[in-house]
Amino acid sequence: MSEVSTTIELPSVQSAMVLAGDRESNLKLLSQRTGASLVLRGQELLISGTQKQVERVSSVVRSLKPFWLEGKRIEEADIRTAFHALDTHRQDELQDLHQDVLARTRRGDVIRAKTFRQRQYVKAVLTHDLTFCIGPAGTGKTFLAVVLATRALLANEYERLILTRPAVEAGEKLGFLPGDLQQKVNPFLRPLYDALYELIDGEKIPNLMERGIIEVAPLAYMRGRTLNNAFVIVDEAQNTTPAQMKMVLTRLGFGSRMVVTGDVTQTDLPPNQDSGLGVAQKILRPVDGIAFCELSTQDVVRNALVQRIVEAYEKHQK
């Protein structure tokens, strides 16, 4: 099969740098995914290979134009999604995905869904009072929920933001740590705080918590309450018992929205204990008004190594 080549002229050195990625990691990924050869010379990207290989790489590079044209960082998840859009004829939807900004971090970085399933998850949260999101580590389940909740809180759509998760030990014993109950469970709640600090000035969070506008608490604190006019996020829900899951779901009050996130493959419950998240999946799927979103390893948006780790564990378990 004869070899062909084409050249894509990039508008600036910055565009060339972000397209290439750190140590040309993006070019290497494009080459691995297609078999084409990519060489960057200044602002010119030379692509060579078979006709099909060259056309495939060219299409993906052009679909990433909103990033490299403005010098925005291109991550592996963006490239994977671009290939998925090309293979499923969803290029128009890909442009919408790029343009749909959810929020900005305190540093000014844009936050948006990076995959089609993440975008479906965002849409589900915005249109349902109760949404379950189930998927492996690194898929943005909790972070996207906190982003949407914080955005809604700052827009005065809700009076309170409540972040909760079960205080189940992941192999460590924390019972002998010093401090009161809140201090003992804070290590369990750290991931929720981390997401908040990305969006809200750290100096303002204690004041918001003192006024009860933001509450970060273990799941046990939810018992007996009715949560009205609140955006509630239940994190690490795979570590709830069926009774705890039923308890927290029935706390949902008027004018409230709830998002439940978890990874059914990473439960820290005793071996003979059913996961409340798994039971809820079976019982509540037919219930009208509840959305179930499932993310996969293809939606991992952390370090690319995380995706390979998750896939390796899934292969081993199968």
Side-chain angles (χ1 to χ4, degrees), residues 237-264:
Q238 76 275 4
N239 287 331
T240 63
T241 65
Q244 287 175 324
M245 178 62 75
K246 181 181 178 183
M247 177 274 290
V248 73
L249 294 179
T250 53
R251 300 306 94 199
L252 193 63
F254 293 107
S256 291
R257 192 179 302 274
M258 182 180 289
V259 180
V260 181
T261 68
D263 177 4
V264 290

Side-chain angles (χ1 to χ4, degrees), residues 107-121:
R107 297 184 300 274
D109 297 332
V110 169
I111 300 175
R112 56 178 176 78
K114 290 182 176 292
T115 70
F116 291 126
R117 276 187 288 254
Q118 282 190 347
R119 190 165 188 246
Q120 290 172 348
Y121 170 38

Side-chain angles (χ1 to χ4, degrees), residues 13 42 47 65 86 93 99 108-109 142 153 157 312-313 316:
V13 173
I47 307 169
K65 186 175 180 179
L86 179 63
E93 191 176 342
Q99 295 169 8
D109 297 332
T142 303
L153 181 72
E157 296 174 20
Y313 270 96
H316 174 73

Side-chain angles (χ1 to χ4, degrees), residues 22 30 53 66 118 134 151 156 162 165 177 199 204 211 221 226 232 273 295 297 312:
D22 184 32
L30 289 166
Q53 290 171 342
Q118 282 190 347
I134 300 163
R151 185 178 76 170
N156 296 316
I162 298 174
R165 65 188 296 190
L177 287 177
L199 300 158
K204 296 179 180 178
R211 293 160 56 195
Y221 283 25
T226 300
V232 185
Q273 174 66 67
L295 304 179
T297 55

Side-chain angles (χ1 to χ4, degrees), residues 158-171:
Y158 298 93
E159 294 177 358
R160 291 181 293 166
L161 167 54
I162 298 174
L163 307 167
T164 184
R165 65 188 296 190
V168 176
E169 296 160 342

Side-chain angles (χ1 to χ4, degrees), residues 41-110:
R41 293 173 179 163
Q43 294 171 220
E44 291 184 344
L45 177 65
L46 176 64
I47 307 169
S48 57
T50 66
Q51 184 75 33
K52 185 177 180 179
Q53 290 171 342
V54 170
E55 289 177 354
R56 188 166 167 79
V57 172
S58 299
S59 294
V60 169
V61 169
R62 291 191 175 97
S63 71
L64 294 169
K65 186 175 180 179
F67 295 98
W68 52 257
L69 187 63
E70 298 184 19
K72 297 177 182 176
R73 182 179 175 183
I74 298 174
E75 300 177 0
E76 182 172 333
D78 300 314
I79 296 174
R80 292 200 310 266
T81 301
F83 273 110
H84 181 57
L86 179 63
D87 294 337
T88 55
H89 308 290
R90 301 167 74 180
Q91 287 93 331
D92 291 342
E93 191 176 342
L94 180 65
Q95 298 308 311
D96 294 337
L97 183 71
H98 291 164
Q99 295 169 8
D100 192 6
V101 175
L102 302 178
R104 291 182 180 272
T105 67
R106 292 188 294 114
R107 297 184 300 274
D109 297 332
V110 169

Side-chain angles (χ1 to χ4, degrees), residues 108-308:
D109 297 332
V110 169
I111 300 175
R112 56 178 176 78
K114 290 182 176 292
T115 70
F116 291 126
R117 276 187 288 254
Q118 282 190 347
R119 190 165 188 246
Q120 290 172 348
Y121 170 38
V122 169
K123 287 183 176 180
V125 172
L126 296 176
T127 55
H128 292 78
D129 288 341
L130 175 58
T131 301
F132 287 83
C133 185
I134 300 163
T139 51
K141 305 181 299 294
T142 303
F143 184 72
L144 286 174
V146 173
V147 168
L148 294 173
T150 304
R151 185 178 76 170
L153 181 72
L154 296 177
N156 296 316
E157 296 174 20
Y158 298 93
E159 294 177 358
R160 291 181 293 166
L161 167 54
I162 298 174
L163 307 167
T164 184
R165 65 188 296 190
V168 176
E169 296 160 342
E172 305 91 350
K173 295 296 182 183
L174 300 178
F176 294 101
L177 287 177
D180 58 22
L181 179 59
Q182 185 66 47
Q183 291 171 321
K184 286 179 185 291
V185 299
N186 269 346
F188 294 107
L189 306 172
R190 189 71 251 174
L192 300 176
Y193 285 114
D194 290 344
L196 274 178
Y197 280 108
E198 282 288 314
L199 300 158
I200 301 177
D201 189 337
E203 296 180 356
K204 296 179 180 178
I205 291 178
N207 177 259
L208 293 171
M209 294 182 72
E210 286 177 12
R211 293 160 56 195
I213 296 174
I214 293 178
E215 181 179 350
V216 184
L219 193 66
Y221 283 25
M222 301 298 111
R223 189 173 299 279
R225 300 173 61 182
T226 300
L227 306 176
N228 293 321
N229 301 313
F231 197 121
V232 185
I233 298 173
V234 183
D235 189 35
E236 298 289 345
Q238 76 275 4
N239 287 331
T240 63
T241 65
Q244 287 175 324
M245 178 62 75
K246 181 181 178 183
M247 177 274 290
V248 73
L249 294 179
T250 53
R251 300 306 94 199
L252 193 63
F254 293 107
S256 291
R257 192 179 302 274
M258 182 180 289
V259 180
V260 181
T261 68
D263 177 4
V264 290
T265 69
Q266 288 199 39
T267 176
D268 298 309
L269 295 169
N272 60 344
Q273 174 66 67
D274 288 335
S275 166
L277 181 58
V279 173
Q281 274 186 284
K282 299 174 184 176
I283 295 175
L284 299 178
R285 276 194 185 276
V287 176
D288 187 42
I290 299 177
F292 278 87
C293 302
E294 296 186 5
L295 304 179
S296 73
T297 55
Q298 298 304 308
D299 301 294
V300 171
V301 293
R302 289 184 190 163
N303 187 306
L305 185 59
V306 174
Q307 181 187 22
R308 297 195 289 273

